Amino acid sequence: MINVGIVGVGGYTGLELVKMLLNHPAFRLNYVAATTGDVMLESLHPALLDLITFPVEEADAEAVAEKCELVFLALPHKASMGFAKELISKNIKVVDLSADYRLERETYEAHYCPHEDPENLPRAVYGLIEYYREEIRAARLVAGPGCYPTATLLGILPFIPYIDTRAPLFVDAKSGVSGAGKKLTQTSHFVTINDNIFAYNPLKHRHAPEIAEKIAKIHGSEVEVNFVPHLIPATRGELVSVYATLKEEIDPAEILEQAYGTEAFIRLRENPVDIKSVGGTHFCDIYAARNGRALFVSSAIDNLLRGASSQALAAANLMMGLEEGAGLPIVPYVP
């Protein structure tokens, strides 16, 4: 068995990692940490009662190095890079779920803060599995993509060679409240989100530069990305619709089949996608259609899984020489 750990186990993504690792065929959870420690895992997450008994420690790089070969960092943005830097120096493989290693330094510092680990930043591999699979196999540091960029990029990337990049992309994205994390805010309060839907940070959200940067890296195309996220009254799930202008006539279904026909965790749909069908799974469902030169692409994922924790686990599987799909959830939460 391969010993792994989770730092930042108190949040939703940390919990999802624990749930998957409980039945993983090759990984053994050997270390969990939160900000303060001094609590049992099943007390921190009562749903785990009688499933696991494990002490939650205060995060310590020396302890991780003694107990783990690989660690998942489920920490907030800005908090991961200092810890990751120390772990990498101790030869521990790291899968970081924060934004700290996703972007080029200039882009990161323009939208987050000064970067504390410029030495390792260029060595991080972006964890969008279908596009960086071979690089991830050889990586020691993987940066998990954001949930919105995951759904957006998986949907639109196959079409970039066929769109008019002089026209902007418009991304209409909707996510369940769990995407905002466990900390209560005014917008995530029950009386605000119940029976309600609203946009937040329209055209200014920091996932827009992540989407644009990765399109440029993968296809060499500079595209203006207009990104508008919305919060919906659902616990989990994410639906992203992208609108683009084609420069030639294409068959959208044929393009998607060429891109993803052999991918085990992307399902190509003949009808518009929905979040219920992917909830609780690692799947990304994609649908596309066109009206003349107008292209519509819609993708659905579980924001906590494919948008964070299961994508991190898939990367860890590859990094440790395992089957990509080991331990990944595939049965949706329906009805």
Side-chain angles (χ1 to χ4, degrees):
M1 298 292 283
I2 300 168
N3 289 328
V4 301
I6 304 168
V7 175
V9 75
Y12 294 138
T13 56
L15 173 59
E16 294 296 333
L17 284 167
V18 172
K19 288 159 62 177
M20 290 183 290
L21 291 170
L22 281 175
N23 294 309
H24 196 279
F27 287 154
R28 175 171 53 208
L29 186 60
N30 203 42
Y31 179 87
V32 294
T35 304
T36 57
D38 196 28
V39 67
M40 297 301 291
L41 185 56
E42 62 272 30
S43 297
L44 190 61
H45 295 295
L48 298 176
L49 183 65
D50 293 337
L51 297 177
I52 185 172
T53 297
F54 210 97
V56 179
E57 303 182 26
E58 184 176 356
D60 179 76
E62 291 289 347
V64 174
E66 290 176 7
K67 297 180 179 181
C68 303
E69 297 178 53
L70 178 146
V71 68
F72 300 93
L73 297 184
L75 295 168
H77 311 315
K78 307 178 186 179
S80 278
M81 51 186 151
F83 205 77
K85 180 180 180 180
E86 193 170 356
L87 291 173
I88 293 166
S89 72
K90 298 179 183 299
N91 207 32
I92 305 301
K93 293 185 178 182
V94 174
V95 182
D96 181 30
L97 279 70
S98 83
D100 286 357
Y101 292 93
R102 292 173 187 162
L103 301 165
E104 294 291 332
R105 183 177 181 179
E106 182 179 355
T107 309
Y108 180 88
E109 293 186 344
H111 296 276
Y112 291 90
C113 65
H115 206 283
E116 298 176 16
D117 189 19
E119 180 182 353
N120 287 308
L121 184 58
R123 301 170 184 169
V125 175
Y126 193 62
L128 192 65
I129 305 294
E130 285 74 13
Y131 290 87
Y132 290 93
R133 185 175 279 119
E134 294 309 312
E135 292 89 339
I136 292 169
R137 291 186 199 276
R140 303 201 63 81
L141 171 61
V142 167
C147 55
Y148 284 129
T150 293
T152 303
L153 290 167
L154 288 176
I156 196 60
L157 280 172
F159 297 101
I160 296 300
Y162 308 98
I163 69 170
D164 184 351
T165 55
R166 296 171 299 177
L169 290 181
F170 285 89
V171 183
D172 180 306
K174 300 175 177 67
S175 179
V177 185
S178 59
K182 288 180 74 172
K183 185 177 180 180
L184 184 62
T185 66
Q186 183 176 349
T187 55
S188 63
H189 195 290
F190 177 81
V191 296
T192 302
I193 191 59
N194 183 51
D195 293 332
N196 200 6
I197 181 173
F198 49 86
Y200 62 97
N201 291 335
L203 306 178
K204 298 178 181 179
H205 197 283
R206 54 196 182 189
H207 277 154
E210 182 178 342
I211 295 165
E213 181 181 283
K214 302 314 172 186
I215 290 174
K217 280 185 169 293
I218 292 169
H219 280 296
S221 300
E222 300 290 335
V223 185
E224 178 186 340
V225 175
N226 291 302
F227 177 74
V228 182
H230 301 74
L231 205 60
I232 61 174
T235 299
R236 61 200 301 155
E238 194 162 277
L239 183 74
V240 170
S241 295
V242 186
Y243 304 88
T245 301
L246 293 165
K247 62 184 179 183
E248 59 187 274
E249 289 193 3
I250 60 167
D251 180 344
E254 183 179 310
I255 299 301
L256 286 175
E257 180 64 29
Q258 290 173 357
Y260 297 131
T262 61
E263 291 291 346
F265 295 104
I266 292 184
R267 301 187 298 191
L268 305 180
R269 297 293 197 176
E270 296 182 359
N271 296 300
V273 298
D274 66 277
I275 62 173
K276 194 75 171 180
S277 296
V278 295
T281 80
H282 183 64
F283 288 119
C284 175
D285 286 2
I286 305 176
Y287 167 83
R290 72 174 178 90
N291 181 20
R293 294 178 61 213
L295 176 69
F296 167 68
V297 185
S298 192
S299 53
I301 63 170
D302 185 310
N303 58 297
L304 293 178
L305 289 171
R306 184 54 181 252
S309 298
S310 68
Q311 189 154 234
L313 180 58
N317 286 338
L318 292 172
M319 293 167 77
M320 302 307 292
L322 305 175
E323 288 293 326
E324 179 182 321
L328 298 182
I330 58 173
V331 181
Y333 297 151
V334 290

